């Protein structure tokens, strides 16, 4: 990231290699993407929620960093998602463990994918104002911004499984809108992803 040592974050946010000229984001889509990036940043740096909120609102959201345009975000929604995902993690993680394939607990999932699942689970479990279909589709699209292999399908399957438990009355109506690729991916990439690094968390396998 550009900037002086006093203002430059110590590590980079999860990059989507997206430019404002190629993709348009709604404020809520931008908030979800920023939350996933913030959760990644917190995981690798050990920062707390308040520091992550301040950093992303000051340096990342709605700004161009190293030639990558980060979309604007609905601030109140971003704050609620980030705080809520962290505060409710003890309730979220066991539910995701149950929804994941046996032998693949959440702790074994790579950092970016884990952040996507946690944020999606928070919306399904604690934001009943967000329809199931909209929440699942939104996080499938977030997964598309980092991956082009099987990961978006995994996000769809896990969140759908979770939704069947926590919001069973809505799942039938939501299925049609929760398929991978049901809306435009946040960025186009080739190849699958490996464990991301701090500087390039969307790096691909050779």
């Amino acid at each position: 990231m550009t900037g002086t040592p006093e203002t430059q974050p110590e590590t980079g946010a999860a990059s989507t290699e997206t430019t404002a000229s190629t993709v348009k984001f709604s404020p809520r889509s931008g908030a979800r993407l920023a939350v996933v990036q913030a959760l990644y940043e917190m995981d690798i740096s050990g920062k707390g929620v308040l520091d992550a909120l301040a950093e992303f609102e000051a340096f990342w959201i709605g700004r161009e960093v190293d030639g990558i345009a980060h979309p604007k975000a609905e601030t109140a929604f971003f704050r609620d998602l980030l705080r809520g995902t962290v505060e409710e993690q003890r309730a979220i993680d066991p539910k995701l463990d149950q929804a994941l394939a046996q032998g693949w607990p959440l702790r074994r999932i790579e950092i970016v994918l884990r952040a996507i699942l946690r944020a999606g689970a928070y919306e399904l479990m604690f934001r009943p104002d967000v329809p199931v279909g909209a929440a699942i589709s939104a996080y499938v699209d977030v997964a598309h911004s980092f991956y082009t292999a099987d990961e978006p399908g995994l996000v769809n399957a896990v969140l759908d499984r979770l939704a069947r438990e926590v919001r069973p009355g809505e799942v039938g109506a939501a299925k049609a809108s929760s398929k991978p690729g049901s809306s435009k991916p946040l960025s186009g990439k080739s190849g699958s992803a490996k464990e991301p690094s701090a500087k390039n968390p969307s790096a691909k396998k050779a």
Side-chain angles (χ1 to χ4, degrees), residues 66 129 150:
D66 291 340
D129 57 307
D150 298 332

Side-chain angles (χ1 to χ4, degrees), residues 24-200:
K24 300 298 182 183
F25 299 85
S26 72
R28 284 210 161 185
S29 294
R32 290 179 174 110
L33 181 62
V35 164
V36 169
Q37 292 172 315
L39 290 170
Y40 168 85
E41 169 77 5
M42 291 170 67
D43 205 328
I44 65 170
S45 70
K47 289 186 173 113
V49 172
L50 293 179
D51 287 340
L53 285 170
E55 177 181 310
F56 270 75
E57 290 181 28
F59 301 114
W60 295 95
I61 294 175
R63 296 175 180 268
E64 184 171 321
V65 182
D66 291 340
I68 299 172
H70 294 261
K72 293 181 180 180
E74 184 179 317
T75 303
F77 192 57
F78 167 71
R79 291 173 179 174
D80 177 75
L81 291 185
L82 187 57
R83 286 194 181 110
T85 301
V86 173
E87 290 172 0
E88 302 295 346
Q89 188 172 317
R90 289 185 178 179
I92 289 169
D93 284 6
K95 294 293 186 185
L96 289 174
D97 279 335
Q98 292 172 13
L100 284 161
Q102 186 174 7
W104 284 96
L106 188 64
R107 60 184 169 77
R108 293 186 63 184
I109 301 297
E110 65 179 4
I111 298 173
V112 173
L113 193 55
R114 189 164 63 225
I116 294 170
L117 292 173
R118 280 173 171 161
Y122 172 73
E123 286 200 49
L124 291 174
M125 294 171 65
F126 299 100
R127 289 295 302 252
D129 57 307
V130 179
V132 163
I136 294 176
S137 180
Y139 286 100
V140 168
D141 284 350
V142 170
H144 273 296
S145 72
F146 297 99
Y147 310 104
T148 58
D150 298 332
E151 290 85 358
L154 173 67
V155 169
N156 178 76
V158 171
L159 294 183
D160 180 74
R161 208 168 292 137
L162 175 62
R164 290 176 183 275
E165 178 183 352
V166 300
R167 292 207 231 167
E170 290 184 57
V171 172
K175 283 192 70 177
S177 63
S178 64
K179 296 177 182 178
S182 59
S183 56
K184 187 175 181 181
L186 302 184
S187 68
K189 291 175 180 282
S190 61
S192 59
K194 65 180 180 178
E195 186 68 33
S197 65
K199 291 185 179 179
N200 186 15

